[in-house]
Amino acid sequence: LTASCFVTYATILPFMNIAQSFVVKTYHGPGSKGEQEEMAATYMAATFFVGACFAPVVGVLVDKFGKRAKVTIVSSLLIGLAHVLFRYLFPLIPFMILGLGYTLYGSSVWPSISYVIKDEQEGTAYGLTTAVQNLGLAVTPLLVALLYSFDSQYTYVSLFFIILSGVGVGIGIWLTREDLAIGGILDKNSEEATALKKNLYLKSNSSPKVKGIFNPEKGFDADDEGISSDDETPLLKKIT
């Protein structure tokens, strides 16, 4: 999750810092440079307007249906698609797609952290994730500036963001695989995920063996062989 935040946010926020200049140089719209910059700023607002409108809806859907790890994959795909379309379409459309990817990602990744870490360690987990995220936001503009020095038309910069989005997809797939190893806690709705977390973090050293497949109505079947809750704790730390 931490690696995912590092990469995915680096494909959005640093790009928005250069988006106005990017649109002016790549779209070549009508009017003076000042008018083009004003129009570009209007297009940029679409990204965050989409987030403002749809984030609550996406949050409700994620709580109801889960699929958090898979949503991170979809969001990275949408972000990558937006960066590709910036070179070919009217910029408003890619900005809206970027906003949708941004919304899907934020509404799925941050709630996920609380499900894969102990309650008493949540502050540490969020702090670490935010620190790594900000590291990415600090490093990415430096790389963008370097690439821009080689090509002022943002060709290398666009390719860089597309590649980063691809890395985000790969991390999302890896996250999904790791999640399945602990019973798919990120794949479940909020109620089921909360119940599964309680079972994974049983504090008793004499906790019974549990099945890898979780039944939200019955919990884990203690009569069947499987992985003990103590054995699964390192897996949760790994996915974080």
Side-chain angles (χ1 to χ4, degrees):
L1 286 170
T2 302
S4 179
C5 282
F6 179 95
V7 171
T8 304
Y9 280 106
T11 62
I12 302 170
L13 300 181
F15 172 75
M16 295 302 291
N17 292 336
I18 64 165
Q20 187 179 52
S21 175
F22 176 89
V23 171
V24 170
K25 288 198 173 186
T26 58
Y27 176 55
H28 305 297
S32 65
K33 182 178 180 181
E35 291 172 334
Q36 292 178 20
E37 290 176 346
E38 183 178 352
M39 186 59 65
T42 303
Y43 299 151
M44 291 167 57
T47 295
F48 299 110
F49 184 75
V50 168
C53 292
F54 291 101
V57 177
V58 174
V60 170
L61 293 175
V62 168
D63 280 341
K64 185 174 180 61
F65 298 105
K67 313 298 181 185
R68 295 169 187 83
K70 294 181 177 66
V71 171
T72 65
I73 298 175
V74 174
S75 65
S76 292
L77 286 171
L78 288 173
I79 293 168
L81 175 63
H83 284 298
V84 171
L85 295 180
F86 272 119
R87 311 297 300 192
Y88 304 103
L89 294 182
F90 182 67
L92 179 60
I93 298 174
F95 273 121
M96 294 179 69
I97 295 175
L98 186 66
L100 181 58
Y102 184 34
T103 301
L104 288 172
Y105 186 78
S107 298
S108 60
V109 72
W110 293 108
S112 298
I113 296 174
S114 65
Y115 292 122
V116 296
I117 201 72
K118 291 182 178 180
D119 291 342
E120 59 269 25
Q121 295 176 335
E122 281 190 13
T124 302
Y126 280 107
L128 174 62
T129 303
T130 302
V132 173
Q133 173 197 356
N134 281 288
L135 177 62
L137 298 179
V139 172
T140 303
L142 301 177
L143 296 175
V144 169
L146 177 63
L147 293 171
Y148 180 75
S149 67
F150 293 109
D151 175 27
S152 61
Q153 294 301 312
Y154 290 102
T155 303
Y156 294 154
V157 172
S158 293
L159 183 60
F160 171 69
F161 284 122
I162 293 169
I163 292 173
L164 268 186
S165 300
V167 173
V169 172
I171 293 175
I173 294 172
W174 174 39
L175 177 64
T176 301
R177 180 179 177 182
E178 294 295 332
D179 181 48
L180 290 175
I182 58 171
I185 192 169
L186 301 182
D187 203 44
K188 302 184 184 303
N189 63 40
S190 294
E191 183 179 355
E192 294 173 347
T194 299
L196 177 55
K197 177 182 177 179
K198 290 180 181 178
N199 280 277
L200 291 175
Y201 281 132
L202 291 173
K203 295 182 178 180
S204 172
N205 293 328
S206 60
S207 58
K209 294 289 182 175
V210 296
K211 293 174 63 177
I213 299 177
F214 176 73
N215 186 321
E217 296 180 355
K218 299 181 180 179
F220 287 110
D221 187 347
D223 295 332
D224 292 338
E225 294 184 356
I227 302 174
S228 71
S229 60
D230 295 329
D231 292 335
E232 285 185 300
T233 299
L235 289 172
L236 290 181
K237 292 181 178 179
K238 183 177 180 182
I239 195 174
T240 306

